[in-house]
Amino acid sequence: MANTFSRDILIQASDPKSAAAFYIENLGFEVTSEEPDMISLHGKHITLFIEQGPPLGPVLEVAVDSVEAAKRRLLAKGCTLVKDEPDFPRCYIRDIYGLTYNLTSHAQE
């Protein structure tokens, strides 16, 4: 059941360009990649991904051995599935303490 927390943080915003401008102007982030639905920003110690979508709050990325096994285990413990993308494979889980994270597979690293 090993996991790895990455230095990546994801947020969703209805207007990713506006959100990116906020972080660039106010916190000194730099754009590293820009796609239609996602903008990647680099800070000294983190990478911030801003994805098109309704706000979820900050989402931490956690790499696990099996996304499906971790998802089943967490849902059985009362966590909530926020977004499921099995073709990626990844899913967003909100735990019972309010933390939201993106479960990804170690194989994707």
Side-chain angles (χ1 to χ4, degrees), residues 84-90:
D84 197 9
E85 296 178 309
D87 294 336
F88 192 81
R90 71 178 180 181

Side-chain angles (χ1 to χ4, degrees), residues 2-104:
N3 64 56
T4 305
F5 278 88
S6 78
R7 295 172 21 169
D8 298 343
I9 298 175
L10 179 131
I11 64 169
Q12 289 189 169
S14 58
D15 183 354
K17 286 186 180 208
S18 176
F22 174 86
Y23 291 106
I24 292 165
E25 293 168 13
N26 294 292
L27 297 174
F29 280 85
E30 296 177 2
V31 174
T32 54
S33 173
E34 190 169 342
E35 299 175 25
D37 292 336
M38 184 179 296
I39 298 173
S40 303
L41 303 177
H42 178 73
K44 186 172 182 178
H45 298 288
I46 64 170
T47 301
L48 180 62
F49 295 95
I50 305 170
E51 185 176 59
Q52 173 78 38
L56 293 173
V59 178
L60 305 179
E61 184 171 293
V62 182
V64 296
D65 293 330
S66 167
V67 172
E68 279 302 311
K71 178 173 69 173
R72 283 192 307 273
R73 192 171 49 250
L74 290 163
L75 292 176
K77 295 291 184 179
C79 297
T80 304
L81 181 64
V82 176
K83 184 177 181 181
D84 197 9
E85 296 178 309
D87 294 336
F88 192 81
R90 71 178 180 181
C91 68
Y92 295 83
I93 297 281
R94 182 170 296 113
D95 71 21
I96 58 176
Y97 302 103
L99 181 62
T100 301
Y101 34 90
N102 171 18
L103 294 178
T104 64

